[in-house]
Structures are given as C-alpha cells and as structure tokens.
Amino acid sequence: MNFKLHIPDSSCSSLSTHRLPIAICRLLFPRLGWLLPFVKRSGIAIFIGILCLLPLDSKSQYPQHYFRSPLDIPLNLSGNFGELRTNHFHSGIDIKTEQREGLSVYAVAEGYVSRIKVSPFGYGYALYITHPNGYTTLYGHLKSYSDKIRKYVKAEQYRMESFSVDLFPAAYVLPVVKGEVIGFSGNTGGSGGPHLHFEIRETETEKLINPLLFGFDVKDKISPSITGIWLAPLNDSSWVSGVQSIKNFSTKIHSGKSSLVETNPIGVYGDIGMAIHTSDALDGNSNRCGVYRIELLVDSIMVFAQTFDQLDFATNRAMNAHTIYEKFKKDRSSIHRSYRLENNPLDIYDNLLNDGILSFRDGHRHIVIYIVTDFKGNKSTLRFMIQSQKPTATKPNIESPPLAYFDFENENVLDMGEVKIAIDAYSLYEDLEFNMTKQTKMANAISPTFIIASPYVPLHSGYQLSINTGALSDRVKNKALIVRWDQDKDRIYPELSTYENGWITASPQYFGYFGVMVDTIAPSLSSIDFAANLKGRTMFSFRIKDGLSDIHEIIPRIDGKWALMEYDPKNSRINYYFDPEYIQHGKHSFELIIRDERKNETKYQGGFEW
C-alpha cells in the first residue's frame, strides 16, 4: 500500500492533532485498537514514532580481546551479568573454579591496583585494577592476594587495627602487568561456593558493563527456557480470565518450541501488564543463568524490550521493581516485568511504548509474541493469543479504606500513635495504599508485632520507623532494638536502632513484620584449636556467634598489642595465622574480646607458646 502522510500546518486549527493518526491507524492496522488510547493521548508525533519502532541493536563497540581471561581454565559460568539476585541485578560474571580454591588469578591487562577491599561480607577479599583504556576490573571472593599486595594490605590492617579495610592505593604503589598473578581464587565474603566474581566497570562513571561484550570466550549453544507468563490487571476496571488479580499461564515445549498449556485465547479487558518467567543455561553447566534480551510484540509492534549491556549502581536495587517482587521474595523466580512501574529508574529498556502498559478494549483478538535471546544469539519464542473482551461489572470494593495514601513523588509522614513512619520522596516505586495492623507479640518481644504495609511491597531506599516502647530503664533502653521477622524464611533480622524519650527508631530497607526486642545476652566464644603449646602450628581458630544483634566488634590482642584475626561469618569463626613479620617465637599472652551491636561483651584470656 502506497500512501503519503500529510502533517497539517499549525495554522490548520480545524483539524484535531490526533484525528489524522487515529484515522490512519484504523486504516492501516484495523486490529490495533489497543494502540488508539496512546495515539489519543500523545498525538501524531508519538504515532509516527510508533510506526518507526524497530528492534534496536544495543551492543556498543567495546575493545575485543584487550583483556585476557582472569583464569587459566575454560570460562565456565555459574552466574552471568544481569541475573536477578536479592535486591540487585548481578553486576558481573561468576566463573567456576572446579569446586576448589587457590587457583591463580591474573590481571587481565596492565594497570594499577586502585582499590582493595577486605570484608567479612560482600565480595570478601576483593581487588580493583584500573586500566589505561578507561575501564576498571574487579576480582571478588579471593582466598588471598599475591605476596606484594598481601604485604601492603596487612601493613594497613595493622596500622588501622582492623580486619575490614577499604584501601585506595596511589597509581604508583601497586602497578601490575597483563598476566601477572594478583591473587588466588577463594570463597570469602558472601560467596556460596568457590568461584571468582569478575566485573568490568567504566572507570569514570563506575557503570557496570557486561564482561561478555569484551570478547571473552564462553561456550553456549543452548537457547533460553520460557517457563510461563504473567498477566496483571493494572486498575480496578481491568481483569484477566475473569479475575482482577495477577494470573500465571504455564508453558510446554513441543518439537523444540514453547507454547502455552492454555490453548484458548486469554480473555482480558482494560489496562494489562505482562511479565515472563525465563532463564538460560550454558553448555556443560547445570546452573540457571539470566537472559540477555527480552522483546515483547503485540500484533507485530514491539511494545517493550530490555537488554543487559550496562547497569548503574545508583539504580541497581530497582531490580525489585523490575521483577514480580512477591514471587522473587518467596522462591527467587526469574520473572521479568514487561511494563515499567512509575518510579522504576532503570535504563535497561528500549522500544518502550506507554511504559509497556497495554490497553485492551477493542473487542478484537491480538497476537502476542515474546522473543528471548541469550548473549550468544540463541533465541526462544513464545506466541499466544489475547482476546479483548467486553467490559463487565466489577465487584464493588467492600474493603475498608486504607489508613493513608502514599504518593511516591512526595515525602510521606504518618503518626499512628504507637508507630511513626517517614518515607522520603521516590523511595516507593509507585503510589501505595498504606495500611498497618497489629498482632500479638513475637516470642521474646517487648512490643506487639506491627505489620507495616506488606512484606511484598518493594522499596528503593530505607525509611524511618519508630515504635513507642514507653519509658525503659537505663539497663534496658540501650539493649532494645527493632527487629524484622521474615515470615518466608522464619528468621529474625535486627535493625540498627536508637532509643529516645520512649521511642525506638530504625531505618529498615523493607516493609513487613516489626517488633521490639531486648538483647542482653553476650556473644558466644569458644576455642576450636587454641592451646598452650602451638609450636609448629600455622594458625589457630575460635568459634564466635551472636543470637540477635550480630557481631559488631572483634578485638584480638597478643602481648597487649592488636593482632590480625580474619573473620569468617559463614562458618562463625575467626582465624589467626602466624606471620614471623608480626610475631616472634616464644611465649605470649592472648586476649580476645567480642562485642555485639548492643555492646554485650565476651572475653577470653590465655597464653601460648609458638
């Protein structure tokens, strides 16, 4: 069909700015009634944009093979870039180390060690190298550093009298060449098993870049899997399959192709959001990894796409707005929304039409296609039918009105007598009908349990929560703290708390179940292999643990001077390694003090000969 699109001059006041595109839309795409609300709202300019929507190649040009592999073994991944993780997208690649520790880790290019972070949590023993081509690489969960780096770090730990350090050496202090051993692979920090976490960042912006864009060789001929889709009614007048709640539709595979188990068109009405449950596998690997790109097309028009080329630290927590948060929190389902919540700040999306929100009110049948692609270009496709149906009378809302309406664009403050809430602007991902209910006390609590909103409402940043405990004695008030009960894990999490004038205050990162407890119990401390005679030994260890407020301070002393002990919270232990540079052979006194966050203290004293 040949046609010319005439855009009227602004002086043609007799012609509405949206009648022409609507007429053309009806002429060219008689089945695309779901587009008309967008055209009416946005006018001809947006309509022309819709006609021009094409899949974008979001891959930028990155230096290929400038970086060597950080290991000398084949790159077999247990996790990839953009994979959904708790409160974040995975920011690098996890390289398997053959289920063992101690493999040599190499500088992938020349540069200098620009940061060294040692922590019991997170990346554990981590190392950052800044390269002259504008990128910085990170190596996480190391068992140890190379000798020259280890000596520098240990000297700083003793100078600062702290196991945990965050160091920023000048460029001339620790230069490295390509292929130089910088450390050895391990399982430190929050690692769940031996592996190397590897990242590439833009040095200037610190944006995270998908390492596979740089030409690393990862074998993958397996297409992503599509487990199911989710359809969500997005307002009170919308529904899916006759219900006004999010609904799941499972898939099946026949002759290598995915299709819905439900063979009939899915009946919908109103504004609908879609989501897809999908993951990927790599050759010779049983791990489920993340996908690279997702595209959603309705009647051959792309309405949503996402690509994992880059991520930004400032917005990475918005993974909680990207996924179906309740499902992920319960079972870590890899579900990706194909529509954007109002305050979702992620920049991983393209070809976004009306934020991916689809309006089905035309009574027609529509073809929906999901295309999921992994980094190697292996694709999986899911095609299904949507039937836009007639509106039906919706059930009246017989629930009591919410306690308050929270606007995500503004600060929200609420005083409920026993509880006070203060939420900064843009901490919520969308407006919230806020409620609070009260239950009986948790075991050992001194306050009722308050259900603040819902544990399945995600937050982008923390808020201030205050609970009225009344006057507490001097002995108790410094030991009281707010705790959160995670009902899915049946676990209590402490919140850093302060007490003032009968109120105890914390800044949680979650909604959910909260109460106040008192922690007067000192941490437990016991020897694993400490003895009076340690001649010929290379190390000794203690087991430490706290029941509520967590270990906060560890003070080891040998002969009255601070001594370096490595804290391993995964195994509830601290380890001392003999180093002739810091201790001489002979008899020594030893003291170990452990304090929890509420300053309960346990002390151990003894002597040994080495």
Side-chain angles (χ1 to χ4, degrees), residues 410-474:
N410 295 297
E411 181 185 15
N412 297 277
V413 179
L414 187 62
D415 186 342
M416 296 163 282
E418 293 177 284
V419 174
K420 296 177 183 177
I421 295 281
I423 304 176
D424 289 339
Y426 299 102
S427 292
L428 297 166
Y429 292 114
E430 57 185 339
D431 294 342
L432 174 66
E433 294 185 354
F434 179 84
N435 275 302
M436 186 199 78
T437 56
K438 186 167 65 172
Q439 293 184 345
T440 55
K441 297 177 182 179
M442 304 179 213
N444 302 318
I446 63 170
S447 77
T449 299
F450 299 97
I451 307 175
I452 310 299
S454 164
Y456 304 121
V457 173
L459 283 157
H460 193 62
S461 56
Y463 63 101
Q464 188 176 88
L465 170 65
S466 299
I467 297 177
N468 191 340
T469 59
L472 297 177
S473 68
D474 290 341

Side-chain angles (χ1 to χ4, degrees), residues 113-118 126 128 145 149 152-157 159-160 164-170 174:
V113 176
S114 54
R115 185 182 181 187
I116 307 167
K117 187 171 184 180
V118 179
Y128 301 68
Y145 301 115
I149 299 172
Y152 171 83
V153 173
K154 200 165 190 177
E156 289 298 294
Q157 288 174 313
R159 182 182 67 82
M160 301 168 68
S164 298
V165 292
D166 197 359
L167 309 172
F168 297 87
L174 293 170

Side-chain angles (χ1 to χ4, degrees), residues 57 272 343 352 494:
D57 181 5
I272 304 297
N343 190 37
L352 207 57

Side-chain angles (χ1 to χ4, degrees), residues 379-413:
K379 289 186 178 181
S380 292
T381 301
L382 175 66
R383 183 181 185 276
F384 58 96
M385 304 294 291
I386 292 288
Q387 176 64 58
S388 174
Q389 298 181 333
K390 295 180 179 180
T392 59
T394 57
K395 296 180 180 179
N397 185 2
I398 59 175
E399 297 180 359
S400 58
L403 192 61
Y405 292 92
F406 284 175
D407 178 355
F408 77 86
E409 294 182 292
N410 295 297
E411 181 185 15
N412 297 277
V413 179

Side-chain angles (χ1 to χ4, degrees), residues 486-502:
D486 187 324
Q487 76 282 19
D488 295 319
K489 298 178 180 177
D490 193 22
R491 180 176 171 183
I492 297 291
Y493 292 91
E495 301 285 350
L496 188 63
S497 307
T498 58
Y499 174 86
E500 185 176 1
N501 298 327

Side-chain angles (χ1 to χ4, degrees), residues 138-304:
L138 180 152
Y139 314 76
H141 307 304
L142 300 175
K143 180 179 183 179
S144 59
Y145 301 115
S146 66
D147 191 54
K148 74 176 183 181
I149 299 172
R150 179 192 63 81
K151 289 181 178 179
Y152 171 83
V153 173
K154 200 165 190 177
E156 289 298 294
Q157 288 174 313
Y158 269 93
R159 182 182 67 82
M160 301 168 68
E161 296 190 355
S162 176
F163 165 66
S164 298
V165 292
D166 197 359
L167 309 172
F168 297 87
Y172 62 84
V173 174
L174 293 170
V176 296
V177 297
K178 186 174 184 176
E180 178 179 339
V181 175
I182 55 173
F184 302 91
S185 67
N187 185 32
T188 56
S191 171
H195 73 279
L196 175 68
H197 176 85
F198 178 71
E199 293 180 12
I200 299 180
R201 306 180 182 183
E202 286 181 351
T203 301
E204 185 176 353
T205 66
E206 287 202 349
K207 280 199 171 182
L208 300 153
I209 311 298
N210 189 335
L212 299 187
L213 290 166
F214 294 82
F216 290 103
D217 184 25
V218 175
K219 306 298 183 186
D220 182 11
K221 295 181 180 179
I222 304 172
S223 297
S225 63
I226 301 174
T227 308
I229 59 163
W230 297 75
L231 270 62
L234 299 181
N235 55 42
D236 291 340
S237 62
S238 302
W239 46 263
V240 176
S241 294
V243 298
Q244 290 184 281
S245 58
I246 189 168
K247 191 169 175 61
N248 173 236
F249 298 88
S250 299
T251 61
K252 59 183 179 181
I253 297 178
H254 180 69
S255 299
K257 295 183 178 180
S258 296
S259 62
L260 293 185
V261 173
E262 173 64 58
T263 57
N264 295 320
I266 301 171
V268 300
Y269 178 80
D271 291 345
I272 304 297
M274 296 188 184
I276 183 169
H277 189 177
T278 181
S279 60
D280 191 34
L282 284 71
D283 292 1
N285 195 334
S286 61
N287 297 80
R288 302 308 301 178
C289 294
V291 299
Y292 176 63
R293 182 167 171 85
I294 298 173
E295 299 170 339
L296 174 62
L297 296 86
V298 179
D299 298 327
S300 300
I301 290 181
M302 191 178 298
V303 298
F304 173 93

